[in-house]
Structure formats: structure tokens, C-alpha cells
Amino acid sequence: VQLQASGGGLVQAGDSLRLSCTASGDTFRTYTVTWFRQSPGKEREFVAALRRYNSNPYYADSVKGRFTISRDNAKNTVYLQMNSLKPEDTAVYECALSSGVILSALRDPSAYAYWGQGTLVTVSS
């Protein structure tokens, strides 16, 4: 499975961005799809996830109420709508997919088999 992420850019605090991540193959609907992010000098951080078959989304507390994860299985694409962006949201955002991710491992990067190349989001104050 290959993943292509896009949509990053330079924005001001309070602005919005929508990230996209498109996967190859024909089993996208069976995967848990997740966004992580990593800032310089920090560990990779869980942002949001959707388990397979469009179940309830999961969010990091830091983005809850501002970010929305969604998926379009017909397009093999997962989205991350980011509103009310803050300077602390600045990071490289990566999409990740895997099958068979149990709930307790949802926020663990090592649980994911496939990763996109990352897209940089920079939020200026």
C-alpha cells in the first residue's frame, strides 16, 4: 500500500486547512486510518483516527473540537479538516494505515504498517 499525503501549507493562526491522504490498492475500507504529527524535537504524536467501516472517530485532546477526520472509501482517501489552527499545531502531518489495530493500540505508531510521506503544516501567530 502506498500513501500520498497533501494539503499542508503556511497559514495564520485561526485559519483552516484540509489534509488529504490517498492510498493505493482496493482494501482501503478494511483499514484503520490515522493521522499523526511530529514537530522538531518532539516525539510523533497521535492526532486522530477512524477505525474500519466508518466507526466513531478518536481524537487527541489537543485537537478535539477543532479537527475532524473523515474518509471516502470510494476514493481511498482520508481527510483531516483542521479549523482554528494554532501555532502549536505546526508539524509534519503523516497519515498511517493498518488492519487489525486494536483500540488500545490506536495511538501507538508502531501499530501501523503503512505510512505516507508527510505534509508540513506551519501556523504563524
Side-chain angles (χ1 to χ4, degrees), residues 32-35 46-51 56-59 69 106 112:
T32 292
V33 293
T34 302
W35 289 94
F46 169 82
V47 177
L50 268 177
R51 301 182 76 191
N56 292 334
Y58 296 85
Y59 296 102
I69 186 171
L106 207 61
Y112 294 85

Side-chain angles (χ1 to χ4, degrees), residues 71-85:
R71 66 192 297 168
D72 185 337
N73 289 334
K75 296 182 178 180
N76 279 14
T77 299
V78 55
Y79 303 98
L80 186 68
Q81 178 66 44
M82 306 185 294
N83 298 330
S84 302
L85 282 161

Side-chain angles (χ1 to χ4, degrees), residues 7-21:
L10 172 62
V11 297
Q12 293 186 333
D15 285 350
S16 299
L17 275 177
R18 188 177 81 156
L19 307 183
S20 301
C21 178

